[in-house]
Amino acid sequence: TPKVLIFIGILVIVIESGTNMLLTSVPTVSRTNYFTNYNSYHTLQKRQSANDDGKFYRYEKDVRVTNNDAMLQNYPSSSLFSSTSNGLVNAFYDKYGLKNSKVFYSYEGATPFTSALLSTRYLFSKDSSLNDSLIKKIDTENDISLYENTYSLPLGFMIYPRKQEEKELIEDEETAFSIIRGDISAINDDDMLNPVERQNLLAVQLGATGNLYDEISVEENLSSATISVPFDSHIYGYCNTTKITALSAFCDDNDMTFKKMKNKRIIDLGYQKGGSTISLNAEEDEDLNLSAYVFHEDVFADLMNKLNQDTMDIKSFHSTKIKSQITASKDGYLILSIPYDPGLRITIDGKETK
């Protein structure tokens, strides 16, 4: 009957809404938590923006109240919660190991490489003691510290791939360009590359002299695993499973917890000394399917130097229009960390181009 159908429809909506909230929301949503340190974030961003003299960079938090913190506190970010979020961005985040779903994308899972590609240069943190070669503290306001990534890229930069690399970048379905041009249907969820391996591929195609990450051995026993660190390095991991909800990691005196692991993403296990051991445990009795990697900062630094050769100088920036200038030393491609949307128009020397 119509009444039964209406009741079933309402029930389906309620169940779907509850499931969506369970998978995508952040538990703490009180008004007090929303506005804690609001002025500190705003002051730090405003101060740093003045120092950057018109240059555009994104900011992130190491711990967010929601994926829309940036919208509330008015700073540019690479995280967003929206039922109309850009599908190309979601696809990029998914393929390169950042946390995402159909209704949000999040900075969680970022590496130095993806941070640079997203023009995410700054990090807010309540921890005032973060310190390694990849990040440095540059400012403080009350309980909030502002950190700067050692390596970053601006909103736009030029690449000059060789002919073979150019063909691979444009035609290879494993690279970012197949996503950027909108060919999402060509991307197979069951492909053979995990996000770390895919980052290696893209980095080499953009000019890296070797892998950014090399895999190291992992001893795994169902829901636990042990990583032996071969030399001083930043360590990253990836669990190729959606069957665990949380993961705990222990190394020396440093304990880490990674929550909501059903949203697969790269995990940052920090800078570790050679000879140390990282132990990981999941709450469920499920295989972790864990891969671990050392990060080669020297290779990455060389790549960043190359990609920062010809960069875009922003003259003015508004929500609907950017005016900028760039000088290309030769024929190449301008890469922007701006997602494509229908209606986006680009003009070069006053002439519209694709």
Side-chain angles (χ1 to χ4, degrees):
T1 66
K3 289 185 177 180
V4 172
L5 291 176
I6 291 172
F7 173 77
I8 293 174
I10 293 173
L11 182 61
V12 169
I13 292 171
V14 170
I15 292 173
E16 183 177 353
S17 299
T19 303
N20 181 57
M21 182 175 293
L22 176 64
L23 293 175
T24 63
S25 66
V26 179
T28 305
V29 292
S30 72
R31 180 178 176 83
T32 300
N33 278 296
Y34 269 135
F35 288 99
T36 298
N37 293 307
Y38 174 88
N39 290 331
S40 297
Y41 293 117
H42 183 71
T43 299
L44 285 168
Q45 192 271 331
K46 186 176 180 180
R47 205 150 58 207
Q48 187 56 45
S49 181
N51 292 337
D52 285 337
D53 192 26
K55 294 182 176 66
F56 177 91
Y57 294 104
R58 293 185 174 91
Y59 295 69
E60 273 299 339
K61 292 181 179 179
D62 57 353
V63 178
R64 281 164 295 281
V65 180
T66 75
N67 284 316
N68 270 342
D69 283 11
M71 186 177 295
L72 172 71
Q73 292 158 346
N74 195 31
Y75 58 84
S77 167
S78 46
S79 298
L80 177 71
F81 182 97
S82 173
S83 58
T84 58
S85 61
N86 189 297
L88 296 174
V89 178
N90 285 100
F92 179 87
Y93 276 47
D94 183 56
K95 289 299 174 182
Y96 288 91
L98 289 91
K99 185 177 177 181
N100 71 95
S101 79
K102 292 181 178 180
V103 294
F104 77 86
Y105 47 85
S106 169
Y107 186 70
E108 288 184 56
T111 64
F113 186 35
T114 49
S115 292
L117 292 175
L118 294 169
S119 304
T120 304
R121 185 170 186 170
Y122 301 110
L123 180 73
F124 296 117
S125 179
K126 294 182 179 179
D127 187 344
S128 62
S129 61
L130 300 179
N131 183 33
D132 64 35
S133 59
L134 296 175
I135 195 170
K136 63 179 179 180
K137 185 164 66 174
I138 57 173
D139 202 355
T140 302
E141 183 71 19
N142 296 324
D143 296 332
I144 306 301
S145 295
L146 180 65
Y147 291 85
E148 180 181 15
N149 288 326
T150 305
Y151 308 97
S152 61
L153 290 168
L155 193 66
F157 58 94
M158 293 295 300
I159 64 168
Y160 306 105
R162 292 172 296 186
K163 287 298 181 182
Q164 181 58 34
E165 292 166 343
E166 182 177 8
K167 181 180 178 181
E168 291 174 349
L169 281 169
I170 295 174
E171 297 180 3
D172 191 338
E173 295 173 3
E174 299 296 347
T175 67
F177 279 20
S178 61
I179 299 173
I180 292 170
R181 72 172 185 246
D183 191 14
I184 297 180
S185 61
I187 301 167
N188 183 358
D189 286 336
D190 297 323
D191 61 50
M192 298 300 292
L193 294 180
N194 72 33
V196 180
E197 295 165 339
R198 187 172 290 105
Q199 288 189 33
N200 269 339
L201 175 62
L202 181 59
V204 169
Q205 289 171 323
L206 290 177
T209 56
N211 286 341
L212 298 184
Y213 315 88
D214 275 328
E215 190 169 3
I216 55 178
S217 63
V218 175
E219 293 185 14
E220 191 168 334
N221 182 16
L222 195 59
S223 61
S224 63
T226 302
I227 302 169
S228 297
V229 181
F231 51 83
D232 294 3
S233 174
H234 213 98
I235 307 296
Y236 292 92
Y238 182 73
C239 292
N240 192 19
T241 179
T242 59
K243 295 182 179 181
I244 60 173
T245 56
L247 187 66
S248 299
F250 311 91
C251 185
D252 297 331
D253 296 327
N254 188 16
D255 297 348
M256 295 168 276
T257 301
F258 303 94
K259 299 180 179 180
K260 296 195 174 182
M261 290 295 294
K262 288 184 180 294
N263 296 107
K264 292 194 292 184
R265 62 189 184 276
I266 294 171
I267 57 174
D268 183 350
L269 295 168
Y271 187 86
Q272 305 295 345
K273 291 289 187 181
S276 60
T277 300
I278 306 172
S279 300
L280 301 100
N281 296 283
E283 295 178 349
E284 296 82 4
D285 289 331
E286 298 285 350
D287 289 327
L288 297 183
N289 291 322
L290 174 68
S291 300
Y293 301 85
V294 293
F295 179 67
H296 297 297
E297 187 178 345
D298 56 340
V299 178
F300 180 59
D302 179 69
L303 175 62
M304 289 296 101
N305 286 335
K306 292 178 181 178
L307 297 181
N308 272 296
Q309 291 299 309
D310 294 336
T311 58
M312 193 167 72
D313 182 20
I314 295 177
K315 302 300 182 182
S316 62
F317 183 92
H318 303 285
S319 59
T320 58
K321 185 177 181 179
I322 299 173
K323 186 177 181 180
S324 62
Q325 180 177 342
I326 188 168
T327 301
S329 57
K330 54 186 175 180
D331 291 351
Y333 293 88
L334 172 62
I335 307 299
L336 302 172
S337 64
I338 302 172
Y340 173 80
D341 270 314
L344 179 66
R345 295 187 302 118
I346 298 176
T347 58
I348 299 177
D349 295 333
K351 297 180 180 180
E352 188 166 334
T353 186
K354 292 184 179 180

